[in-house]
């Protein structure tokens, strides 16, 4: 018996529980160590744990992690990815973050974490610059691929939070530190991966921006109180001769949904082109779900048009159903195919093109498209989010009042 216990000891050591409380993780990214923060809490039963990712002010609940054999599994089921790791002690874990597509791993990145730390970037030197403000930013890999945006930063001590507004959506909740005259920012949610490594010179920030597995761009941002995006209501539009859209698409449970259905007649209809894989779409759906509950009885309907990576509804349908459940969506979400130009041209041939996910249509009670909005200005943008939601609600109320 003693010999058996000695054989089993390594298994028990690896399967020990992680310490409850804050943790600091790092991904071994091509740009270097990419830090992020998370909080472990007790789960519904032994060997299960609730985990919240923390980016800026956002705490994003991942649901329950669990042990698979001797590995702790931290699932990101909305994004088809997971962290699998071994605990060398209750205070330390090492393993991999694996990103999947249609259930198959497409890449994995080494991961490590230690308990007890709430720091983002380890700061050996105090901040000697302050980056608070708004900036006109430009991102490019080469001279043919410039991509403008608006960088918004708020610094307290050497701690920095902020985001980047782009026509296709924002970079959500960036978090980081100023160390001497350098600004470092990161973001990780199981799908989006961002890392900024920059230098600050007076009113200019310049350096490198890493995104995804292998994306690398130059970045330069100049402080500019008047920095703004182009009109996001003019980037996506219908082809000449069209003033309405039509489609007939399946739900995950096999029903067909069309704008010609009685449910949508003489209603103000919001159509969200989205995907369960898209963080900005999650932000918009989190806004639309309670908005729909508030306005459905007043004559508003919403339809989500999900463009998923698999063309097989047997694969994509469960992802859509899980998305609805996690977000708390009561309106219909249909499967529209894969997120590419060819599919969109087939599903919505009257649309000139799509410039990003999500893209939102607002249709009046006569079925006429009154507005098409590219991207979503999410809660990570602060006052921009407040302004957008207020304007959106005002537009819907105006259309409801029309005869």
């Amino acid at each position: 018996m003693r010999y058996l216990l000695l054989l089993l000891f390594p298994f028990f050591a690896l399967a020990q529980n992680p310490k409850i409380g804050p943790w600091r993780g790092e991904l071994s990214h091509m740009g270097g160590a990419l830090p992020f923060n998370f909080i472990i809490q007790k789960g519904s039963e032994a060997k299960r744990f609730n985990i919240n990712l923390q980016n800026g002010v956002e705490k994003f609940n991942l649901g329950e992690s669990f042990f698979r054999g001797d590995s702790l599994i931290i699932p990101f089921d909305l994004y088809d990815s997971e962290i699998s790791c071994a605990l060398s002690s209750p205070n330390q874990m090492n393993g991999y973050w694996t990103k999947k597509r249609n259930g198959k791993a497409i890449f994995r990145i080494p991961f490590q974490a230690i308990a007890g730390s709430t720091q983002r970037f380890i700061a050996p030197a105090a901040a000697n610059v302050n980056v608070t403000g708004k900036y006109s930013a430009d991102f490019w890999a080469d001279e043919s691929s410039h991509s403008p945006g608006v960088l918004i930063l708020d610094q307290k001590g050497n701690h920095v939070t902020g985001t980047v507004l782009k026509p296709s959506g924002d970079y959500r909740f960036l978090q980081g530190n100023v160390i001497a005259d350098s600004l470092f920012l990161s973001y990780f949610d199981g799908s989006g991966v961002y890392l900024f490594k920059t230098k600050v010179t007076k009113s200019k920030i310049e350096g490198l921006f890493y995104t995804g597995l292998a994306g690398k761009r130059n970045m330069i941002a100049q402080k500019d109180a008047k920095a703004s995006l182009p009109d996001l209501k003019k980037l996506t539009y219908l082809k000449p001769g069209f003033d309405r859209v039509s489609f007939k698409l399946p739900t995950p449970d096999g029903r067909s949904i069309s704008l010609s259905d009685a449910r949508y007649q003489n209603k103000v209809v919001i159509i969200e082109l989205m995907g369960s894989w898209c963080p900005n779409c999650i932000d918009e759906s989190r806004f639309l779900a309670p908005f729909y509950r508030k306005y459905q009885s007043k004559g508003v309907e919403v339809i989500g048009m999900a463009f998923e990576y698999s063309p097989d509804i047997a694969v994509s349908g469960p992802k859509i159903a899980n998305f609805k459940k996690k977000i708390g969506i009561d309106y219909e979400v249909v499967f529209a195919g894969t997120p590419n130009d060819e599919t969109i041209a087939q599903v919505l041939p009257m649309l000139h093109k799509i410039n990003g996910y999500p893209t939102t249509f607002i249709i009046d009670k006569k079925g006429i498209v009154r507005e098409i909005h590219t991207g979503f200005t999410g809660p990570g943008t602060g006052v921009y989010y407040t302004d957008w939601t207020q304007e959106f609600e005002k537009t819907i109320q105006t259309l409801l009042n029309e005869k």
Side-chain angles (χ1 to χ4, degrees):
M1 177 63 73
R2 181 179 180 185
Y3 179 73
L4 179 62
L5 289 174
L6 287 173
L7 286 176
L8 292 175
F9 177 77
F11 172 80
F12 288 123
L14 288 172
Q16 60 194 305
N17 290 346
K19 184 176 181 180
I20 302 301
W23 284 69
R24 180 183 182 273
E26 284 187 352
L27 298 175
S28 297
H29 194 263
M30 66 170 290
L34 190 156
F36 64 98
N37 305 99
F38 59 101
I39 302 165
I40 297 181
Q41 299 171 318
K42 291 181 179 180
S44 60
E45 56 186 75
K47 299 296 181 180
R48 286 185 173 267
F49 310 92
N50 271 313
I51 295 184
N52 287 280
L53 279 178
Q54 183 153 16
N55 290 290
V57 298
E58 183 190 50
K59 292 181 180 180
F60 182 64
N61 184 261
L62 302 178
E64 287 195 323
S65 63
F66 55 90
F67 279 97
R68 182 191 297 150
D70 58 5
S71 295
L72 178 66
I73 306 300
I74 303 174
F76 304 83
D77 61 349
L78 277 176
Y79 299 131
D80 204 9
S81 72
E82 68 178 28
I83 287 174
S84 58
C85 55
L87 277 81
S88 55
S89 77
N91 299 302
Q92 186 170 357
M93 58 180 74
N94 296 273
Y96 293 90
W97 170 52
T98 302
K99 187 75 175 72
K100 304 175 184 179
R101 183 162 295 175
N102 302 325
K104 296 181 179 179
I106 55 175
F107 65 79
R108 69 176 191 168
I109 297 177
F111 155 83
Q112 62 179 355
I114 57 170
S117 176
T118 59
Q119 293 189 72
R120 198 67 161 200
F121 292 86
I122 305 301
N128 58 27
V129 293
N130 191 299
V131 297
T132 297
K134 184 163 64 168
Y135 299 75
S136 293
D138 188 18
F139 302 82
W140 73 97
D142 56 58
E143 290 304 319
S144 66
S145 62
H146 284 266
S147 177
V150 178
L151 173 65
I152 303 168
L153 299 172
D154 181 37
Q155 180 176 341
K156 292 180 173 59
N158 80 327
H159 299 281
V160 180
T161 55
T163 194
V164 176
L165 283 73
K166 301 291 287 294
S168 58
D170 62 88
Y171 287 180
R172 305 197 79 247
F173 297 89
L174 300 174
Q175 181 180 338
N177 301 92
V178 171
I179 301 173
D181 63 351
S182 296
L183 169 67
F184 301 91
L185 296 167
S186 65
Y187 174 83
F188 173 67
D189 65 1
S191 176
V193 181
Y194 302 140
L195 177 64
F196 292 76
K197 302 176 79 171
T198 65
K199 285 281 188 181
V200 183
T201 307
K202 294 183 179 180
S203 60
K204 185 170 69 174
I205 301 172
E206 190 170 6
L208 295 173
F209 168 59
Y210 300 89
T211 180
L213 178 64
K216 178 182 177 181
R217 292 185 175 185
N218 301 294
M219 188 207 81
I220 186 167
Q222 184 72 44
K223 187 169 282 190
D224 180 2
K226 297 182 179 180
S228 62
L229 295 177
D231 189 342
L232 301 179
K233 299 176 185 177
K234 294 182 178 179
L235 297 180
T236 305
Y237 50 89
L238 300 180
K239 294 177 180 177
F242 291 93
D243 62 4
R244 59 190 70 211
V245 298
S246 62
F247 55 84
K248 186 175 184 179
L249 294 167
T251 63
D253 58 8
R255 294 174 293 112
S256 291
I257 299 296
S258 169
L259 275 177
S260 62
D261 295 343
R263 174 176 177 174
Y264 304 107
Q265 300 307 298
N266 198 35
K267 301 285 183 67
V268 174
V269 182
I270 301 160
I271 299 177
E272 177 194 22
L273 276 60
M274 44 75 69
S276 65
W277 44 269
C278 163
N280 292 121
C281 302
I282 290 178
D283 282 340
E284 183 173 46
S285 297
R286 284 175 173 164
F287 166 75
L288 287 176
F291 184 90
Y292 177 63
R293 288 190 286 272
K294 178 180 177 180
Y295 278 94
Q296 182 188 20
S297 63
K298 300 177 182 179
V300 172
E301 281 294 339
V302 179
I303 302 173
M305 293 180 64
F307 292 84
E308 301 294 322
Y309 286 128
S310 173
D312 185 354
I313 195 170
V315 175
S316 292
K319 295 184 185 299
I320 296 169
N322 181 58
F323 183 89
K324 289 187 65 177
K325 180 180 178 182
K326 286 290 181 71
I327 304 299
I329 292 173
D330 296 327
Y331 52 84
E332 299 286 4
V333 179
V334 296
F335 176 50
T338 53
N340 56 62
D341 292 342
E342 293 78 12
T343 300
I344 293 168
Q346 292 174 2
V347 174
L348 297 170
M350 67 293 296
L351 186 62
H352 179 259
K353 65 176 181 176
I354 183 173
N355 292 279
Y357 293 89
T359 293
T360 307
F361 292 70
I362 299 177
I363 300 172
D364 68 18
K365 289 186 284 187
K366 295 179 181 179
I368 297 173
V369 176
R370 299 288 288 271
E371 184 177 301
I372 304 176
H373 190 282
T374 299
F376 182 71
T377 306
T381 67
V383 67
Y384 293 88
Y385 172 72
T386 302
D387 290 346
W388 186 91
T389 56
Q390 289 177 348
E391 181 184 354
F392 181 85
E393 190 160 9
K394 183 179 180 181
T395 298
I396 298 302
Q397 289 174 340
T398 297
L399 295 181
L400 287 173
N401 291 331
E402 291 182 349
K403 300 299 183 182

